Amino acid sequence: MIKHLQDTFTLNNGVEMPGFGLGVYKVEDGSVAEEAVRTALENGYRSIDTASFYDNEKGVGEGIKNSGIPRDDVFLTSKVWNDEQGYTSTKQAFQRSIDKLGTDYLDLYLIHWPVKDTFVETWKAMEELYREGKVRAIGVSNFHVQHLEKLFANAEIISAVNQVEFHPHLTQEGLRAFCHQHNIQLEAWSPLKRGQLLEEDIIQTIAKKYGKSAAQVILRWDIQHDVITIPKSITKERIIANADIFDFSLTDEEMNQIDAMNQNDRSGSNPDSFD
């Protein structure tokens, strides 16, 4: 379990990835994205997660550049979108992403969704990008077990990360066990279920005990499950508060209480029906 904002997990290829970072889904490109990223980095964050679909890679790149933090000290993730998938188009999408980001490499490149007819070819392109040193690690997002098994059957390199929706209403126990068995690091998007969990009685009770916010309790639950977590925010106060989770610990009983909130309920799409 990470104990500091800049602590890392070792991925299956030996690359160190921070266990906590900033997500920028639906963050407006330009000055809004630039300021959010710069603020996060100035306040100790070292991992930024974007995607071509978010249409804010240019602002993210500007935020990194203007933060004063060396590029090599920032773990930068982007993703290839559904209509960019396929062998040749993935290579082209990657180049567009790094051009917008103002960098010549990514730390992590993910397949955004398992588009059934193309993700195997997409992965072949990503394996080549990895071998060429343009990406330090490659992985997937929103992959169920069956998608990972299909990828295993056709891949030479095992995915380093699986970024999925994960929160107390969607604890993904089977998928977590499978990823742990195969040394694939789980990463959580929408860890707060887009704000839908903040009024839950169990969360509120635990938050009052520790003098923390409901969001901080949920994010703490994530990291105690050894799940990399990337909450989104654009305000300085919340960016700082989200990372203020390393001065308390949830008990085993509290972890179990939060685990028991599972409803297998998603705020986003189900990968089985999203294509």
Side-chain angles (χ1 to χ4, degrees), residues 13-25:
N13 66 345
V15 166
E16 298 288 329
M17 179 176 181
F20 198 88
L22 179 75
V24 295
Y25 176 54

Side-chain angles (χ1 to χ4, degrees), residues 105-117:
Y105 73 98
L106 289 177
D107 296 280
L108 179 63
Y109 198 37
L110 304 178
I111 298 178
H112 209 147
W113 290 86
V115 178
K116 61 183 178 182
D117 295 327

Side-chain angles (χ1 to χ4, degrees), residues 33-252:
E34 186 275 334
E35 185 174 353
V37 169
R38 179 171 48 81
T39 297
L41 293 174
E42 288 174 350
N43 285 279
Y45 285 67
R46 289 297 179 266
S47 179
I48 307 294
D49 179 276
T50 186
S52 63
F53 179 71
Y54 301 169
D55 196 25
N56 57 20
E57 289 172 313
K58 184 172 176 56
V60 167
E62 287 297 311
I64 294 171
K65 177 182 176 183
N66 295 333
S67 71
I69 304 299
R71 168 67 184 91
D72 288 352
D73 290 344
V74 179
F75 193 97
L76 181 57
T77 300
S78 194
K79 312 175 191 76
V80 56
W81 184 243
N82 301 349
D83 63 7
E84 298 173 323
Q85 289 194 40
Y87 177 80
T88 300
S89 53
T90 294
K91 292 272 191 92
Q92 295 168 342
F94 171 81
Q95 189 62 48
R96 285 193 299 271
S97 284
I98 62 171
D99 286 347
K100 290 179 181 178
L101 288 161
T103 186
D104 56 2
Y105 73 98
L106 289 177
D107 296 280
L108 179 63
Y109 198 37
L110 304 178
I111 298 178
H112 209 147
W113 290 86
V115 178
K116 61 183 178 182
D117 295 327
T118 54
F119 74 75
V120 170
E121 289 302 309
T122 300
W123 190 253
K124 290 180 180 178
M126 294 175 72
E127 288 180 328
E128 286 195 14
L129 291 169
Y130 175 74
R131 292 192 184 99
E132 292 166 358
K134 296 178 179 178
V135 183
R136 296 179 64 225
I138 53 176
V140 296
S141 181
N142 301 302
F143 273 48
H144 284 329
V145 169
Q146 67 267 26
H147 302 127
L148 291 168
E149 288 176 334
K150 181 176 180 180
L151 194 63
F152 291 168
N154 295 276
E156 297 179 16
I157 299 171
I158 296 296
S159 176
V161 170
N162 187 13
Q163 184 187 116
V164 299
E165 183 175 354
F166 174 81
H167 47 67
H169 283 175
L170 185 67
T171 56
Q172 302 267 28
E173 290 185 17
L175 180 62
R176 272 195 289 148
F178 182 89
C179 288
H180 180 74
Q181 177 186 356
H182 293 278
N183 200 17
I184 299 170
Q185 176 62 52
L186 208 72
E187 181 178 17
W189 64 259
S190 194
L192 305 178
K193 202 184 179 186
R194 299 175 180 172
Q196 297 175 40
L197 292 162
L198 302 182
E199 300 302 321
E200 289 278 359
D201 289 343
I202 293 171
I203 302 295
Q204 287 282 343
T205 298
I206 296 172
K208 288 176 183 176
K209 171 185 171 182
Y210 292 106
K212 291 291 183 177
S213 69
Q216 288 168 329
V217 168
I218 295 166
L219 297 172
R220 180 71 201 183
W221 173 82
D222 277 25
I223 66 169
Q224 286 189 216
H225 271 308
D226 287 331
V227 174
I228 291 175
T229 305
I230 47 169
K232 166 210 166 182
S233 182
I234 60 172
T235 64
K236 180 178 180 178
E237 294 75 18
R238 192 167 296 169
I239 288 170
I240 293 171
N242 282 344
D244 186 20
I245 57 174
F246 297 98
D247 58 352
F248 77 108
S249 295
L250 301 174
T251 66
D252 290 344

